[in-house]
Structure formats: structure tokens, C-alpha cells
Amino acid sequence: MIAIQQNGETLWSFHIWVTSYDPDNGGPVFTYPGKAPLMDRNLGSNGDYTNFTDIIPTESAGLYYQWGRKDPFPGARNLLDCDLQTATNQFPIYDAGGARQYITFEPVNASKNLENSIHNPTRFYTNGAEYFPMNDWYTNATESKYQNDNLWNDTQKRKTVFDPCPAGWRVPSETDMNVFWPSNFPGTYEFANNSYATFTLGGNSIIFPTGGFIVDGDLEQAGADQWGRGIATLWDRETYQTEAVVEIYSTIVYEYAVNTRKLGLSVRCIKDTHDWRFQ
């Protein structure tokens, strides 16, 4: 991550995904007629999705994002100890001088928290009980009028500066992802020991590692965890009432789900075929 600072305060930050994976130049993508190409791996992943034996959720899950935020959060090093507030269990991150830095967890304490989130890109904002409507990192208010539904896409459904995907790619919509819904398309799923789900349709396959999700300082349901369960969760860019749309792939495929925006989930980028910046 690169940050622009003034007098020690972060004004803006950029996440640079250093990877040999290049979906714009022959890197594998999932394609289906009528759908834009979808990356074959989660944003920020350093796992090799072309080799099934290399699917290790802690490596392949990629980074985690609170819905609508541009800045990522790393997962846990040890799935048997999922408390991310234990500094030794966080994937290490370092500043420009090589000093170890840590993700911090702090309750949201503002009705409009966007500016604070920009100034504090490594701070994961918590909010109340785990699964309660209006649990949003963006606001501590209890009324939905204080939420912002247009962080990852504007009112015209265009990509915004808060969309974390690389240039020419964006966070998918619900319509983009419904190709993976069994009631819509005749694809098949195979599940491997709670570590990943493989979806096949029309001769093309794609893998969803069960990276779980971050909630209030804990990484839950990642891989075959201590309870023997795993879940793959991916954000869509849409919202539904006070919550946000999420895709879930595990031993049960949820065709449509919503959850609180404060959660840290994976992102799978899709080609932005209407990227107005390049037209």
C-alpha cells in the first residue's frame, strides 16, 4: 500500500497488487456467453488457482474488504487461532522503513465515517453485535438515511474511486454473479474438504476458496477451520435495504444473501466493459 501523507496524516492510499497474474494479457479468466470475463482468483490473492493442490485458503483467499471501502485487510496466518486482534496471528505488513505495522480494530464513532476511513486505511471499524441490520463501518447511526449506497458504484452504476479492483475491472453486480446460481444456469459444484468449491459450466471452471470473513476482529469460517467448516463469501457492489449483497459458496450455495456492511469479505473482480474512463 502506498499512502500520500501530509504532516503525518494519510490523505489518500493506494493498494498495489503485486502478482504475476495478468488477466488482461492471457491470464486465466472465467467466461460465459453474455457475461463479462471474471478473474479466476480473489483480489489480492497470491495462490495459484490453476493448481488445485495449491489451494490453501489462507494463501488464496486474498484480501478482505469492508463493503464500500477501497483499502484491504489481510487475513489470519493460523486458522486454528482466528483472533486477528492477536498481533502475532496477522499476516505481517510493514511501513516504508521496514517497521512492522498492525491492523487495528476500533468501534465506529461518527455518523459519517468515510473521511476517518480514508485517514486510517489500516483501521477496521467495528459496530455492535455481529449480525444486526445497520451494522455499518460507515456510520454509527441507527437510521438508514445515514448510510451510503453508492460507494462502489455511483447513481449511474459506474465504478467509483472507492472500487478496489484494478483499472478496467470492477466489483461485480448481483446480475454479473447470477451465472453461478444453480436455478439460473445448469452449472455443477464440487466441494473439496471445506477448502474450496469448484464451479463448472459450459466447459469452463472456476474456484472459490473458502476464505471466510472478518467480523469484529475475528476471521470466521475460513477453510476447514477448527469446527470443520468453510465458506466462500464475495461482495457484490449492490445493497439491499440496510445491508449489502453477498455471494456464498460452500456445501450449500446461497443464490442471494445479504449481510452487514461492516464485515470483511473477499472480492472477485469482473471486466468493466463500460469503463467510462477509457472511452
Side-chain angles (χ1 to χ4, degrees):
M1 183 181 293
I2 295 177
I4 299 173
Q5 294 186 324
Q6 183 178 51
N7 299 324
E9 182 179 60
T10 297
L11 304 180
W12 194 259
S13 54
F14 305 86
H15 170 236
I16 299 177
W17 184 16
V18 180
T19 176
S20 60
Y21 174 61
D22 187 354
D24 288 313
N25 291 287
V29 294
F30 179 85
T31 59
Y32 189 78
K35 298 289 185 179
L38 184 74
M39 288 188 182
D40 83 328
R41 62 201 66 194
N42 291 349
L43 182 57
S45 170
N46 63 358
D48 181 5
Y49 281 43
T50 62
N51 181 354
F52 287 12
T53 62
D54 191 36
I55 296 297
I56 307 170
T58 54
E59 299 281 339
S60 63
L63 298 168
Y64 297 81
Y65 294 82
Q66 293 187 287
W67 188 90
R69 292 188 69 177
K70 63 182 179 62
D71 297 304
F73 297 91
R77 300 175 61 133
N78 180 359
L79 295 184
L80 297 181
D81 179 7
C82 298
D83 182 2
L84 295 182
Q85 298 185 74
T86 301
T88 56
N89 197 34
Q90 293 184 13
F91 273 115
I93 55 176
Y94 303 91
D95 65 16
R100 177 75 189 270
Q101 302 294 306
Y102 300 93
I103 299 299
T104 59
F105 296 85
E106 179 178 304
V108 59
N109 191 31
S111 60
K112 292 184 179 180
N113 198 44
L114 182 60
E115 184 175 350
N116 289 333
S117 73
I118 294 172
H119 292 325
N120 299 280
T122 60
R123 182 174 297 165
F124 192 101
Y125 288 98
T126 63
N127 188 341
E130 288 192 11
Y131 310 106
F132 187 81
M134 275 300 295
N135 278 5
D136 195 335
W137 64 268
Y138 183 88
T139 180
N140 63 354
T142 58
E143 297 178 73
S144 60
K145 67 180 181 180
Y146 290 98
Q147 292 184 292
N148 188 336
D149 295 340
N150 298 112
L151 289 169
W152 277 346
N153 64 133
D154 64 17
T155 56
Q156 298 183 48
K157 301 299 180 183
R158 298 177 303 187
K159 176 177 178 175
T160 73
V161 294
F162 296 105
D163 184 308
C165 292
W169 299 78
R170 60 171 172 79
V171 178
S173 66
E174 177 194 344
T175 301
D176 294 326
M177 298 297 282
N178 69 12
V179 67
F180 304 111
W181 298 359
S183 65
N184 285 4
F185 296 87
T188 60
Y189 281 93
E190 294 183 11
F191 303 96
N193 301 320
N194 287 320
S195 292
Y196 61 91
T198 303
F199 176 82
T200 302
L201 176 65
N204 295 320
S205 295
I206 189 169
I207 291 175
F208 300 106
T210 53
F213 54 90
I214 298 175
V215 55
D216 294 338
D218 291 320
L219 179 65
E220 298 190 0
Q221 293 186 247
D225 63 11
Q226 61 265 52
W227 296 284
R229 63 190 182 186
I231 188 169
T233 55
L234 299 169
W235 282 127
D236 290 354
R237 65 180 187 174
E238 269 95 6
T239 60
Y240 178 76
Q241 296 181 0
T242 64
E243 300 181 309
V245 178
V246 57
E247 303 285 331
I248 300 176
Y249 309 100
S250 186
T251 52
I252 299 176
V253 179
Y254 294 86
E255 296 195 350
Y256 180 92
V258 293
N259 221 318
T260 56
R261 307 181 193 190
K262 69 169 186 176
L263 297 181
L265 271 58
S266 303
V267 168
R268 184 72 63 100
C269 301
I270 196 167
K271 189 69 175 176
D272 191 0
T273 56
H274 302 289
D275 194 333
W276 55 274
R277 297 172 304 167
F278 302 102
Q279 295 178 1

